[in-house]
């Protein structure tokens, strides 16, 4: 699995950082920051997938 983010379309909802804090964070403006592009354990992969489905702007992308 590979995780990517598009900071240009991020609306700062924060669902990614709340759902998968080991994978995502937000900068001072609330824009998504990717912490881990390839989550190593199943819990991190599962929460990253969930964050991808919850992202209202589509800024989070999961590539299996």
């Amino acid at each position: 699995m590979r995780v990517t983010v598009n900071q240009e379309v991020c609306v700062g909802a924060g669902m990614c950082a709340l759902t998968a804090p080991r994978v995502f964070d937000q900068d001072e403006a609330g824009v998504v920051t990717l912490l881990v592009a390839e989550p190593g354990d199943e819990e991190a992969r599962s929460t990253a997938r969930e964050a991808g489905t919850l992202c209202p702007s589509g800024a989070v992308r999961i590539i299996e």
Side-chain angles (χ1 to χ4, degrees):
M1 157 193 270
R2 182 144 181 85
V3 181
T4 64
V5 297
N6 184 340
Q7 293 179 320
E8 293 180 19
V9 300
C10 178
V11 296
M15 295 306 298
C16 56
L18 291 171
T19 304
R22 291 173 34 202
V23 180
F24 306 100
D25 199 357
Q26 290 177 285
D27 66 15
E28 303 81 34
V31 176
V32 63
T33 301
L34 184 61
L35 300 176
V36 180
E38 295 183 13
D41 62 67
E42 185 52 40
E43 180 183 351
R45 289 190 299 269
S46 177
T47 58
R49 283 186 194 100
E50 184 177 358
T53 63
L54 293 174
C55 179
S57 67
V60 174
R61 186 152 189 237
I62 307 300
I63 303 162
E64 295 290 344

